[in-house]
Amino acid sequence: MRKKVEEVSAKLLKYQYHYYVLADPIVSDNEYDRIFDQLLDLEKKHPELSMKNSPTKRVGSDLNNTFAEMEHSVSVLSLDREYTGEGIAKWVDKISAAGNMKAEYVVEEKLDGASIVLYYKKGILETALTRGDGIRGNVVTENVRTIGQIPLVLPEKIDIAVRGEIFIKKSEFEKFNKKFENKYSNPRNLAAGSLRNLKSSTVADVPLNMFAYEGYYKGGKGHVEILSDLRTFNFPVNKNLGLFSGDQSFLAIIKNKLPGINTGPVDKIFDYIKAQTKKRENLDYEIDGLVIKVNGIDLREDLGETSHHPRWAIAYKFDSPAAETKLEDVVIQIGRNGRVSPVAILSPVQIAGSIVARATLHNQEYIDILELGIGDKVSISKRGDIIPAVEKVIEKDLDNPSIYKIRPDCPFCGTLFVKDGAHHFCRNEECPERIRRAIVFFVAKGQMDIDTLGEKTIEFLLKKGFIKCIPDIYSFDYSKLLGEEGFKEKKIDNIRNSIEESKGNSFATVFTSLGFAGIGKVAVADLIKYGFDSFEKIRETTETGNIEAFSDIPGFGDITARFLIEHFSDKDNLKLIDDLANAGLKVKADKKEGPEIEQIFTGETWVITGSFENFNPRAIAAEEIEKRGGKVTNTITSKTTYLLAGENAGSKLDKAKKLKIKIINEKEFTKMLI
Ligand SMILES: [Zn+2]
């Protein structure tokens, strides 16, 4: 009798696989029902033979489920996101730059459904967990069993965890929703809600589908190979796939295994993304983006993950996340160059996991185009997932339907604003807010990096009249602070030390820290490279009035050249530069800042670990390597040329030894630099 039950089960499983997964039934509905009833009958008569994963259990029971929680045994982090092709290109570059030029990439559709993780033991579905918080998920096994496409028993007795997305086809959603008088807002909510429905029999009625997109089991080599295996294990796998690699023979092998897969060289990823984005509307299911994944499992392990997301995969999302909120107020900010920036003050709202309470409004034109007024209900997005922006007005404030106008004068100094192009400016060089912003910029991280002078300390020094401009930072007698609230001897010492230390900063750093409009890091580096390696030289050239001397520099246009001449004709600026020279700052490039430095590390990839006596922080060592044409990455791979190992080096040292990467100590490194 056991044999009979097994035989009928196998038959029914096969029918279900063809019906649900392949969408290509091999028997009539009547025949299907007949076999189904036959098995049901057998199981009723011989309950001891009824298997936990019998295909008859798909219809679900009427038992109320309680959703226990359980910890995931595989990593189910969410994905980092990008909203532009450029962002994806940078991500690919980063992986190549870490020495993985031969990485292969898979592009998949990102289904907008409910995430699920299926755990099988010896080929039998044991547990289905929702993604939950990434660490623990809800146990929804009973409901998942009702989904026809999900195999309950695999053809092989393996232990495997499978990640997938549960979704509802657009066409089926429409039909289903009609029955319920359009009660459900979208397929995604219905799918997610169904998984957590208390009655499995109700879930069985919802037309749920699944695509499997990750498999974790012993012996999985590469992602596409795993997807191909998942298919042989009877999981539904999305056919819309792209594989990009420089290895033609590899592409040919995979094409054989996964018919219909799109293949090409790595630089075709972006064309594929574009094409898939266009095709999105024609699909019978909702996707909200694409996922780009590194194919090699070894490389994935090398790249690792942060606490939030894996470094080997990224989501390309079609739409920036958005939220609705209210514009409470607009405040005026004045930049160090006098530019006026209106800033929206919003009722705090959560977008993509963070609270947004402010957003730049750029200028009056931007506000006029939006027809934006205080009190309006607005839509906020996070462009590139970072910068919040007001996208549109959803509803005007009917009590006061006005459009916000920037006030005519500077709230900090009372000077009338001047309009130049799209922006308003406070042209008062003595404007206390402009001075404050200039000082804050000068000492900021990435500039002179005087971290003991925080914004509060600077505000205090300005308020007390102890400093009035940037050079005062270097001439003020800080012992005068003794006795002021919050300034103890130790703190004052620290301020003095970091100010003294800042005098060691390069000429390029001093120059960019001045924050001259239009003259950023790149422009300064170019000036030095083309011989304008001191304030004196730039000043002399400015005095000749020869604009071509600057505009001939590759990358410089007339505009940058004019900015430069304007800054170096300004008496206040020239005094500022003189004062800084007198304070002992570098007003001339050191020899090694020039291009004559020998590029001895060209083509080499370095990893730095441990702590050093003379390179503290480690970034100093990285800078020395990069200045000499080398590349510095975080991860040891077979492509790493050297590991620079200091004291207390940890796992990277072990890995380098294992991969036989040459290890250099601080002493040897210092010798190489001379
Ligand atoms: Zn002002």
Side-chain angles (χ1 to χ4, degrees), residues 334 338 340 409-417 425-434:
I334 311 286
V340 174
D409 59 342
C410 175
F412 300 96
C413 69
T415 309
L416 284 177
F417 287 142
F425 289 84
C426 168
R427 292 283 193 221
N428 176 11
E429 304 265 341
E430 313 272 291
C431 175
E433 178 63 3
R434 287 185 56 182

Side-chain angles (χ1 to χ4, degrees), residues 309-332:
H309 54 79
R311 291 197 191 89
W312 47 261
I314 196 147
Y316 170 78
K317 300 266 280 183
F318 297 135
D319 304 307
S320 302
E324 284 176 20
T325 188
K326 191 178 149 193
L327 179 68
E328 298 285 355
D329 198 3
V330 177
V331 295
I332 293 295

